[in-house]
Amino acid sequence: MQHGPAVRRRKLGAELRALRARFGLTSGEAARLVGWHQSKVSRIETGTSSTKPADVRLLLDAYGVTDPQLRELMLALAGSADSGGRDHWVHAYRGVLPPAYRDFISLESQASAMRTLETTVVPGLLQTPEYARAVTRAAVEGVDEEQLDTLVEVRLARQDVLRAEPPLELNAVLDEAVLRREVGGPEVMARQLERLVEAARLPQVRLQVLPFTAGAHIGVTGPFVIFSFSSTSDLDVVVLDHLTSSLYLERKEDLQAYTEAFNALRAHALSHEDTVDYIAATADGARKEAP
């Protein structure tokens, strides 16, 4: 269990080590091929030191890697600003976003699929501007209006991953409390629920509500996100959010446990079709209560 940057270094190193082995080189031979000392290749492959995108490009070229998706993902893990992913915009906010949040956005922008359990609020990728403002104001202590505007801009910009080509596939299980917690007032909540109905019509979005009648379930331990990557399943990662930081789980047993938990939650939740009807009915009720 580590913070994001350490996970990214280790995953990058493991993938580069596998590519070198596939190419039939020892670490010493790879080092001589690119003009380095063998210890530098070892440090990169073990994730003990950060890696420059230029060094990753050099190794990928040496190993004959031409797959654009794999190169893009390797460069993203190295923190490249020009990796070709969906998160170019985030570099304009580097000075105002915490490193853990930037790292989450980078993973989100490079992932092919995202499975998430939400127990308190609507997923950030599906929030309306007004809802996002109310949530951010409550979650970030002492935020002034300028900072609030910036954080809301970032949250809305993140949503572009659902409109990219190819789009991120979002599979979300929402505890019923997400629908019942009035955030920002009746009007804001009614519009947010309507937005969920609209989003559920997108082919890349699948929503399921876990009703109160389901009783206690494995999700009571808290929300989580599972990111998956099309290039290789070895890069899949679970993200757990805490008040002051995020933790990343990369071990196969952790990924299996959270995948099984997510599947169990889906089995107890309403179907996607029933969920859309349920949210629509809840939105109608909220709209009637709005002034």
Side-chain angles (χ1 to χ4, degrees):
M1 186 161 57
Q2 305 173 58
H3 294 287
V7 168
R8 287 155 63 93
R9 286 198 304 270
R10 285 187 56 185
K11 287 184 176 296
L12 173 63
E15 187 67 15
L16 288 172
R17 183 168 61 249
L19 290 171
R20 172 178 59 76
R22 194 181 308 161
F23 199 66
L25 295 174
T26 66
S27 58
E29 290 169 339
R32 287 192 293 274
L33 193 62
V34 295
W36 298 344
H37 193 279
Q38 188 271 341
S39 62
K40 180 172 180 177
V41 174
S42 295
R43 289 196 302 273
I44 290 174
E45 291 185 351
T46 57
T48 54
S49 64
S50 58
T51 308
K52 296 179 180 179
D55 289 342
V56 173
R57 290 192 190 92
L58 199 59
L59 289 173
L60 293 176
D61 290 342
Y63 301 158
V65 178
T66 58
D67 182 345
Q69 286 188 322
L70 182 56
R71 288 181 68 95
E72 177 181 313
L73 183 54
M74 294 299 98
L75 290 170
L77 289 171
S80 174
D82 61 347
S83 59
R86 312 181 188 113
D87 66 338
H88 299 300
W89 57 270
V90 78
H91 298 282
Y93 298 95
R94 290 188 68 87
V96 295
L97 296 180
Y101 191 24
R102 292 201 308 267
D103 198 66
F104 181 90
I105 293 172
S106 182
L107 286 173
E108 184 179 72
S109 72
Q110 298 298 329
S112 59
M114 174 180 174
R115 287 165 286 175
T116 181
L117 166 67
E118 294 291 348
T119 59
T120 54
V121 297
V122 170
L125 295 181
L126 303 177
Q127 292 178 5
T128 66
E130 297 79 13
Y131 186 97
R133 177 172 291 272
V135 167
T136 305
R137 190 190 299 278
V140 183
E141 185 178 357
V143 64
D144 60 34
E145 287 302 312
E146 184 176 356
Q147 292 172 316
L148 183 60
D149 288 343
T150 299
L151 292 173
V152 172
E153 284 177 15
V154 169
R155 181 152 300 192
L156 298 179
R158 283 173 49 199
Q159 298 176 2
D160 285 344
V161 296
L162 295 176
R163 297 182 287 271
E165 186 56 47
L168 175 75
E169 294 182 9
L170 175 63
N171 194 329
V173 172
L174 311 179
D175 191 277
E176 186 174 350
V178 172
L179 310 183
R180 301 299 179 184
R181 178 171 288 101
E182 188 177 286
V183 174
E187 179 68 28
V188 169
M189 198 63 207
R191 176 61 193 125
Q192 176 59 73
L193 293 172
E194 291 165 354
R195 166 67 180 133
L196 286 178
V197 174
E198 294 167 4
R201 297 194 180 103
L202 298 173
Q204 66 271 31
V205 175
R206 182 174 182 84
L207 302 181
Q208 290 183 258
V209 166
L210 193 64
F212 289 146
T213 53
H217 52 77
I218 196 168
V220 297
T221 56
F224 60 85
V225 173
I226 306 173
F227 285 123
S228 298
F229 299 85
S230 57
S231 297
T232 170
S233 62
D234 288 342
L235 294 177
D236 291 0
V237 62
V238 177
V239 184
L240 307 177
D241 267 339
H242 294 267
L243 183 61
T244 57
S245 64
S246 296
L247 293 176
Y248 293 69
L249 309 178
E250 62 171 334
R251 298 185 308 167
K252 291 186 183 301
E253 50 266 45
D254 291 325
L255 286 163
Q256 180 178 351
Y258 277 90
T259 297
E260 291 175 354
F262 189 79
N263 291 338
L265 290 166
R266 287 191 59 196
H268 288 90
L270 301 177
S271 69
H272 176 73
E273 294 74 19
D274 289 344
T275 287
V276 173
D277 292 340
Y278 192 81
I279 296 176
T282 307
D284 288 342
R287 179 62 69 187
K288 291 175 183 177
E289 295 178 6

